[in-house]
Amino acid sequence: MSEKVREFKYVSYLWDDAKAASLEGDEVALLLYRSNLLGADLRLTNYGGGNTSCKVMMPDPLTGAETKVMFVKGSGGDLGTLKRSGLAGLYLDRLLALKKIYRGLEHEDEMVALFNHCIYDLDSKAPSIDTPLHAFLPFNHIDHLHPDAAIAIAACKDGEQINRELFEGSIGWVDWQRPGFDLALKLEDCLHKNPGIRGIMLGGHGLFTWGDTAYESYVNTLEVIEKYSAYLHEHFGKSKPIFGGVKGTSLPGEKRKQQAANLAPVLRGFCSSHTRMIGHFTDDERVLEFINSQDAERLAQMGTSCPDHFLRTKICPLVLSLAPDEDLNDTEQLKEKLSPAFTAYRAYYEKYYEDHKHANSPAMRDPNPVVILYPGVGMFTFAKDKQTARVAAEFYINAINVMKGAEAVSEYVSLPLQEAFDIEYWLLEEAKLQRMPKPKPLSGKVALVTGSGGGIGRAIAEKLAAEGACIVLTDIVPERLSASLAELQQLFTKDRVMAVKLDVTGTDTIAAALQEVCLGFGGVDIIVNNAGLSISKGLLETTLGDWDLLQDVLVKGQFLVSQAAVRIMQRQKMGGDIVNIVSKNALVSGPNNVGYGSAKAAQLHMSRLLAADLGGEKIRVNVVNPDAVIQGSNIWANGWAEGRAKAYGISVDELPAYYAKRTLLNETILPEDVANAVFALTGGLLNKSTGNVLNVDGGVPAAFVR
Ligand SMILES: [Zn+2]
């Protein structure tokens, strides 16, 4: 078997003979295995891009007769994680029969609905637009991928000629055409005219390759892409410098991050003029090479080529004309400087829409840029959620790779704007968007919860994440933080949850943490000051150390975190929420509570003062007053439970029932109850309330706000 293993330099050969042998005889399993290997190497295809298929004889459930069935990746999903549930299984003879009723190019979209009449496997995923492209090629195994190296040839001026010479005619060529039934017929025609070819290049789009077996298709695909890659590498920097040569240099790494974090909230504000956006930042070296080059501005304006690229990144990025080390601190000055660029971009997009729309085109979508390039610093991307923003960045890096390759061997050619528009506003694409789930109440928002390594803070973070927010967990104890992070990422994906170590009493660590947040999500919208501790002592036992610690963590902590967050909120200019987790003890006098109760009262009054300060900027400041949350709470450590039990003359075990009984509702208060209150204040229904206190204590009349 070892003679099978080929040497590859630019792609990863991952085929495991033993693994494949264990799947022998199950062509669908082999298809999935091959697809996962292909999807694991981003040099082979972009995220979510491309599709694979196999054709296999199966018994017809109605007649028992053997019939040929094609299994092909269905609409959506990614090859790297493709499972059987992501495939569509269709009768091949029925798909081929569709050719007889096809009415021509202007009617090709109607064919998509007919694919459903060809379904063999009732558990099929919806068949994708690429289904006939696989059906009309008579090969058992087919790979359709979007490798940057191949698209570089597909998107250059002399692409067809280079392709012919490089493969001596063994890879066919079909000019750019929007994917659909008609393109499938063109592929079939190309094969008829060029019998014996090993693949077909689609101009401006991607590659089709195939084989009799899953393995043969895999190796053929790898060999072809390897050859494109090697060809590009031979040419990089040879006849001309990469991207026309270096124009500027990057700031040093740490400075880039500071500058990006400082700018991100301002950009986020601009990009959120229609819909609230989440940000992503990267200073990947491929991005820096591009944006620091002579040709960056010219190429960026030309727009991207592969449809996948511009669907994710918009037709072109916004290039900022700021010096890498520009002083970004004066918010108003900065906005004045940036505002014309955003106005011009939106106007450009509106014109693009107006110039290319058809009578039945969907309404214009958000005209703000998705990709923003800052020479010397890096690339920002903004989208309705973090995953989409991150993937947009990946796609723009794909586009950069394509432009780099195309310019090295020839001249980069972007797709004509009308073609780009017809894909972007394709009715089938619009239908896909309409099928997407409605956004949750906190979608597009970023929430930072202090002390969220466990207990109430973790419950709050989980609730806000469940309602759609991106979450920043913070805690002073690294082990608590990492445990909480792992759990919540499991529930809500790595994209949506990040963690930063934070000591709420230190300005430096607060600044460092918020820098991470701005780089991670572009800014912040909701601050929950929850970090706390408690000490139960009378006046004479309370030491100065006890007093200072409570004041530091509860009062100064709330002050410092709010101050740092409001600076970011002001730069975004999108309002915001501060929710302070205070306590019934802010209002009720009890024994042995002088230090804690005083600090809680200060937190409460500070909340009202901040509400008065920040209302003009639509930043709401509200308070949740819980009482006696025992489960999972940190404050019951440090002898607090014993202290309270002693103060009431009962045992520690009797505390929960004691607390429940003294409430009007006779309820035990759980962390989730406090979390629900935070959501109630931030979820949108109470947007006209600030300076409020919401009790979550089962009803304690002494703590009613008078
Ligand atoms: Zn494609």
Side-chain angles (χ1 to χ4, degrees), residues 144-313:
H144 165 49
L145 301 179
H146 298 162
D148 293 343
I151 301 175
I153 308 296
C156 76
K157 203 174 138 207
D158 315 303
E160 187 172 0
Q161 188 194 337
I162 292 173
N163 189 58
R164 192 183 326 113
E165 288 168 9
L166 185 60
F167 285 92
E168 293 164 352
S170 67
I171 299 280
W173 176 277
V174 172
D175 278 337
W176 159 260
Q177 184 172 322
R178 194 171 72 172
F181 202 84
D182 214 79
L183 181 62
L185 295 173
K186 295 241 164 66
L187 278 182
E188 188 184 35
D189 187 50
C190 176
L191 180 66
H192 280 313
K193 288 182 178 144
N194 304 277
I197 52 176
R198 64 194 295 197
I200 296 174
M201 178 80 104
L202 306 181
H205 176 167
L207 187 65
F208 268 82
T209 37
W210 47 73
D212 284 341
T213 65
Y215 180 74
E216 281 174 28
S217 190
Y218 181 70
V219 171
N220 184 32
T221 300
L222 256 52
E223 283 177 352
V224 170
I225 297 171
E226 173 82 9
K227 194 156 181 162
Y228 284 121
S229 305
Y231 178 75
L232 296 182
H233 277 84
E234 277 164 29
H235 285 78
F236 284 142
K238 288 289 148 59
S239 60
K240 48 187 170 180
I242 292 171
F243 291 133
V246 177
K247 185 179 178 189
T249 50
S250 295
L251 289 179
E254 196 40 49
K255 279 262 178 292
R256 285 201 297 273
K257 294 211 162 26
Q258 279 172 13
Q259 195 76 343
N262 205 356
L263 183 60
V266 178
L267 297 179
R268 182 171 181 238
F270 278 113
C271 287
S272 299
S273 64
H274 280 61
T275 307
R276 195 175 281 261
M277 296 292 179
I278 300 291
H280 177 81
F281 173 76
T282 175
D283 56 359
D284 185 289
E285 58 184 38
R286 291 164 294 181
V287 171
L288 292 175
E289 179 182 54
F290 177 64
I291 60 179
N292 294 337
S293 75
Q294 296 286 352
D295 291 343
E297 196 135 3
R298 171 179 67 85
L299 291 169
Q301 275 169 10
M302 287 176 69
T304 56
S305 183
C306 183
D308 267 12
H309 296 174
F310 63 74
L311 276 176
R312 301 280 192 157
T313 64

